[in-house]
Amino acid sequence: MNGQDLEERVANIEQKLEFVVTRDELAEVLRSLHLRFDKMENRFDTLENRFDTLENRFDTLENRFDKLENRVDANSVRLESLTAQFNSFRDEQRLANEANGKAWEKLDGQMALAEADRERLFVKLGSIETALENHGISVD
């Protein structure tokens, strides 16, 4: 074995050693990448669970909002009904007050006429009494 063969063998061994080191380094890099991917997968799973939780909460809030919206709609219908009833009652009261006012005016007019008729009646009765007394008839 000469020096050149020895140098070639040493160079060949160095290359193999480099390959072994590189292969070991690559294996370590791959293990590290696998660990990182596992951590990322766990984080993704955690984020996915959080997202699902948020989605459930959103659905719950949406259901509550729908219920509130239904209540508002029902209350609006009730309010419209009560408003219509109040307007109807108000119109009835206005008509009743107008009719009542007219009735009082009519009654007042009739009372005035009755009072005038009564006074005329008393005047006539007084003149009849006077006429009877003038004829000698006593009226008590």
Side-chain angles (χ1 to χ4, degrees), residues 84-97:
Q85 289 175 3
F86 177 76
N87 288 338
S88 176
F89 176 75
R90 187 185 62 201
D91 291 342
E92 288 174 8
Q93 290 301 308
R94 184 181 48 77
L95 291 173
N97 286 338

Side-chain angles (χ1 to χ4, degrees), residues 11-89:
N12 193 13
I13 290 174
E14 284 178 352
Q15 280 181 342
K16 286 181 181 178
L17 193 59
E18 247 180 70
F19 178 75
V20 168
V21 169
T22 304
R23 189 176 60 183
D24 288 345
E25 287 174 353
L26 285 176
E28 185 60 34
V29 167
L30 285 175
R31 273 191 293 271
S32 175
L33 285 174
H34 279 292
L35 287 174
R36 287 182 181 176
F37 282 133
D38 287 344
K39 286 180 183 178
M40 288 173 65
E41 189 174 13
N42 288 339
R43 286 182 184 169
F44 180 76
D45 289 343
T46 302
L47 288 174
E48 192 173 26
N49 288 339
R50 286 182 181 172
F51 180 76
D52 289 342
T53 301
L54 288 174
E55 192 172 27
N56 288 338
R57 287 181 181 172
F58 179 76
D59 290 342
T60 300
L61 289 173
E62 194 172 29
N63 288 338
R64 286 181 181 173
F65 179 78
D66 289 343
K67 287 178 183 178
L68 286 174
E69 192 173 33
N70 289 339
R71 283 184 185 173
V72 167
D73 290 344
N75 286 337
S76 294
V77 168
R78 286 185 200 151
L79 183 61
E80 288 171 4
S81 173
L82 288 174
T83 300
Q85 289 175 3
F86 177 76
N87 288 338
S88 176
F89 176 75

Side-chain angles (χ1 to χ4, degrees), residues 1-11:
M1 224 179 197
N2 65 19
Q4 191 172 3
D5 287 337
L6 190 57
E7 281 183 29
E8 282 181 22
R9 273 183 98 191
V10 168

